[in-house]
Amino acid sequence: MFELARRKLLTVTGGASLLGSIVPAAAFASGTHRVTSSGHSTLHAPAITGRARPVLPLVMLDPGHGGKDPGAIGFSGTYEKHVAEAAATELHRQLIATGRYRVAMTRTSDHFIPLDGRVEMAHQHGASLFISMHADALLNKSVRGASVYTHSHGASDSQTAALARTENSADRYGGPLVRGATPEVQQILASLVTEEARKGSASMAGAVVSSFKNRINLLPHPQRHAAFAVLKSAQIPSVLVEMGFMSNRLDEAALRQAGHRAMVAGVMCQAVNRYFASEGAGLSG
């Protein structure tokens, strides 16, 4: 019976050539199998995967506020949400242009996203770095300059504590189902942040300050920390960058200008490059 089956198989396929061209199923899956124009199958050496380009790190950009949450409103009526989106879009363009990163944004249009939703997006994308971009307001309208913040249960100073309270209250726009965490929950979340994420966040904050120096006006002691809800990821190094304050006439006027936002994005791009270089991530170029 086996001999009869063998003969039928040879007859259907056109002769004994089949016996030399039986192809393992794995060859089809790996792409090493090819059928020639004459109908014969050939096997090729497997592809070399050891030289494959490593997956580029993903940077998640988070333009603050949006939709029914305008953020701070400047003297001339400029909305923080529009400034944040414009600056993040320009930074997205510059980061992509380096060829070193994949880049995603929590929003690319004017819509509201709860704070937890922004953090969740970073996790869903498998982000290596999270950057939230803002231009808030202070009661003291004379204060101007950029600054960068990392997550901590305790605030580095009273001004930063006030900023964190303002930012964490953004969820009030989301209705009864979206509310900021209580101080007790914030303390628990802060304790869950891994040491690796803390070090990464501090490293990125330092890179921002170094890149901004002599280019963008900075606050005194520009590297600060507080319990910002949007920075509470336990695994992803995260920073919040204040590009300036809408409560200050000079900062607002500057942030309204595309050229100034492009300069801010440029030094931010430099900071990202410094961060990944210091972290030893294998970047191309």
Side-chain angles (χ1 to χ4, degrees), residues 120-143:
E120 181 61 26
M121 283 185 197
H123 283 281
Q124 288 176 349
H125 281 78
S128 300
L129 179 66
F130 179 89
I131 303 173
S132 194
M133 301 182 70
H134 292 261
D136 280 295
L138 297 172
L139 291 177
N140 185 348
K141 295 177 175 54
S142 67
V143 176

Side-chain angles (χ1 to χ4, degrees), residues 211-271:
S211 297
F212 272 49
K213 280 181 179 177
N214 304 320
R215 297 287 304 280
I216 305 292
N217 186 53
L218 288 166
L219 289 181
H221 311 294
Q223 191 170 334
R224 307 183 180 200
H225 56 82
F228 290 93
V230 78
L231 302 181
K232 68 184 182 183
S233 170
Q235 293 84 31
I236 304 171
S238 306
V239 297
L240 185 150
V241 176
E242 290 285 358
M243 299 175 287
F245 293 101
M246 302 302 286
S247 48
N248 181 275
R249 290 180 183 273
L250 295 176
D251 274 0
E252 183 205 18
L255 289 167
R256 286 172 57 90
Q257 303 301 314
H260 181 79
R261 294 194 301 270
M263 183 167 62
V264 170
V267 293
M268 283 296 302
C269 184
Q270 183 183 78

Side-chain angles (χ1 to χ4, degrees), residues 109-214:
S109 61
D110 185 16
H111 65 278
F112 175 80
I113 305 173
L115 298 176
D116 282 346
R118 297 167 187 265
V119 178
E120 181 61 26
M121 283 185 197
H123 283 281
Q124 288 176 349
H125 281 78
S128 300
L129 179 66
F130 179 89
I131 303 173
S132 194
M133 301 182 70
H134 292 261
D136 280 295
L138 297 172
L139 291 177
N140 185 348
K141 295 177 175 54
S142 67
V143 176
R144 67 177 304 228
S147 47
V148 59
Y149 303 82
T150 54
H151 188 281
S152 173
H153 177 57
S156 54
D157 56 88
S158 58
Q159 179 178 294
T160 303
L163 274 178
R165 285 194 297 271
T166 299
E167 283 302 320
N168 293 348
S169 69
D171 278 350
R172 69 187 184 277
Y173 291 96
L177 296 180
V178 180
R179 289 288 183 265
T182 65
E184 292 77 16
V185 172
Q186 285 287 352
Q187 186 170 13
I188 294 172
L189 291 171
S191 69
L192 293 176
V193 177
T194 65
E195 186 61 24
E196 184 177 1
R198 289 181 197 277
K199 289 180 179 178
S201 299
S203 175
M204 179 58 192
V208 170
V209 171
S210 296
S211 297
F212 272 49
K213 280 181 179 177
N214 304 320

Side-chain angles (χ1 to χ4, degrees), residues 85-99:
E85 183 183 338
T89 299
E90 173 61 20
L91 178 54
H92 180 286
R93 185 192 69 78
Q94 293 193 29
L95 288 172
I96 289 293
T98 68

